[in-house]
Amino acid sequence: MDLTAFTAALPKVELHLHLEGTLEPDLKLELARRNGVDIGQRTVEEVRATYVFDSLASFLAVYYPAMDVLVTRADFRDLAMAYFRKAASQNVRHAEVFFDPQVHVARGVAFEDVVLGYHDAVLDARRELGLSAGLIMCFVRDLPVESAEAVLEQALGFRGQIVGVGLDSDERGNPPAKFAHLFARAREAGFKLTAHCDIDQENTTEHIRQALEDIGVDRIDHGTNVVEDPRLLALLTERGTGLTCCPISNSFVTDDSRAGVIADLLRRGVKVTVSSDDPAYFGGYVTENLVHLTRGADLAPDELIQLQRNAIEISWAPEEVKEDFLAELDAYEALVAPDL
Ligand SMILES: [Zn+2]
């Protein structure tokens, strides 16, 4: 069995995935037609041609306007369900997925249509695909803090649908500390906490420190620059705080997948995992990200299995989902071991 086939069939957990980043060109076109939104393109190929980026700024300039095609509760359901189908086809058994309500509310979409639409898909995924999923509401850090406060207020009414709170988008000038009071309220309300600390951002180790020490996040999205600060690395390791790493998206924003650093952290016992970030735009779901990492860092099959053990351990899945996943992973390991 070659490593690509092994990776494809491996049972997986996805922890760093932006639902709005799964808007494939064909669905974007369909939603635009459905809602009478003029996006300026008429064919899938024309839409795909706009999914080309050479910087974070050029990415964000396509990413946020694309959301205009999402209008009704059914649209949000269809977007998430298309992703869950894709994930299930790659043997993802549990997925915790981000969404950015501030951007939708600012366009006049009701908060509950966003949450309930995505939640409809979570229920359908469980029933139709046997896929377990949780929703993580992100604060969009480059929008006014007041708008983050407003969505947190609304999220308090949807504690049954939302498992955690995160922090994403443009990090420059928007450190985690700016949102510390909101994270404190979210924690008090029972939400799990995570925050993006993007690769090579200015003051990145200070941002990682704020997330770990001032906010006390349960995990960090990206965050591999922690290797630059031995004290923080020791703290992260001791606490078992996970890092959700996305090799293909790293290659887009920094010209380097950071495969070597991710593998090094894995071998040091840090709870790193591999995820797909914005797969429709970066051209790779979780299997492709694992293959990309394996090629970049010469990972062995048992290390690919360890990545999945880390992911389920640092996930916020119900205990029975964790147990079932680990049992399936053990069975997979035993089944394929003779061929490796
Ligand atoms: Zn992300």
Side-chain angles (χ1 to χ4, degrees), residues 16-18 98 168 196 198 221-222 246 249 277-278:
H16 184 156
L17 181 285
H18 301 267
F98 299 125
D168 67 5
H196 278 58
D198 286 351
D221 304 303
H222 304 299
C246 308
S249 106
D277 215 0
D278 299 289

Side-chain angles (χ1 to χ4, degrees), residues 102 137-141 148 151-152 165-168 179 182-183 186:
Q102 282 156 274
M137 180 182 84
C138 281
F139 301 132
V140 179
R141 65 205 307 166
V151 291
L152 178 59
V165 166
L167 180 66
D168 67 5
F179 300 87
L182 296 183
F183 276 113

Side-chain angles (χ1 to χ4, degrees), residues 23-193:
L23 184 60
E24 292 285 352
D26 54 346
L27 183 59
K28 183 175 181 182
L29 209 56
E30 185 189 325
L31 292 172
R33 285 193 187 121
R34 186 190 292 179
N35 293 311
V37 178
D38 181 6
I39 55 170
Q41 298 94 34
R42 292 176 184 283
T43 66
V44 171
E45 291 66 33
E46 283 175 22
V47 178
R48 198 176 298 284
T50 67
Y51 283 22
V52 177
F53 319 101
D54 56 10
S55 65
L56 180 64
S58 64
F59 166 65
L60 295 176
V62 173
Y63 188 74
Y64 285 113
M67 297 185 195
D68 286 353
V69 303
L70 295 159
V71 180
T72 66
R73 174 169 168 171
D75 299 338
F76 291 97
R77 184 255 172 214
D78 291 351
L79 174 64
M81 201 54 196
Y83 165 67
F84 290 140
R85 282 202 189 92
K86 178 73 183 177
S89 79
Q90 295 200 340
N91 296 305
V92 172
R93 305 289 188 248
H94 177 73
E96 290 169 13
V97 295
F98 299 125
F99 68 108
D100 289 338
Q102 282 156 274
V103 181
H104 307 304
V105 170
R107 299 184 289 112
V109 177
F111 181 85
E112 64 170 36
D113 284 347
V114 181
V115 176
L116 294 179
Y118 284 149
H119 185 64
D120 288 340
V122 168
L123 297 178
D124 288 349
R126 191 179 307 157
R127 198 176 46 236
E128 292 174 25
L129 307 167
L131 178 92
S132 154
L135 298 176
I136 304 171
M137 180 182 84
C138 281
F139 301 132
V140 179
R141 65 205 307 166
D142 46 339
L143 290 178
V145 177
E146 298 73 40
S147 77
E149 276 167 18
V151 291
L152 178 59
E153 206 56 49
Q154 301 213 63
L156 297 178
F158 294 91
R159 275 178 269 199
Q161 288 82 17
I162 299 170
V163 63
V165 166
L167 180 66
D168 67 5
S169 200
D170 195 349
E171 190 169 336
R172 281 165 299 178
N174 300 298
K178 190 171 162 185
F179 300 87
H181 62 298
L182 296 183
F183 276 113
R185 276 186 41 211
R187 169 74 84 200
E188 218 177 84
F191 293 117
K192 300 286 191 182
L193 310 182

Side-chain angles (χ1 to χ4, degrees), residues 214-294:
D214 299 346
I215 295 172
V217 290
D218 298 294
R219 57 186 194 231
I220 293 178
D221 304 303
H222 304 299
T224 48
N225 289 92
V226 73
V227 294
E228 294 158 22
D229 188 319
R231 188 185 72 83
L232 288 178
L233 180 59
L235 179 66
L236 182 96
T237 311
E238 181 194 309
R239 284 190 191 168
T241 307
L243 300 179
T244 63
C245 305
C246 308
I248 295 178
S249 106
N250 291 350
S251 308
F252 268 85
V253 296
T254 71
D255 292 331
D256 185 321
S257 72
R258 302 300 153 111
V261 179
I262 296 168
D264 182 44
L265 287 167
L266 176 70
R267 288 162 189 159
R268 289 201 220 182
V270 175
K271 302 291 174 196
V272 289
T273 71
V274 168
S275 291
S276 54
D277 215 0
D278 299 289
Y281 295 98
F282 296 144
Y285 286 79
V286 68
T287 296
E288 291 80 17
N289 271 278
L290 286 163
V291 168
H292 195 87
L293 176 70
T294 305

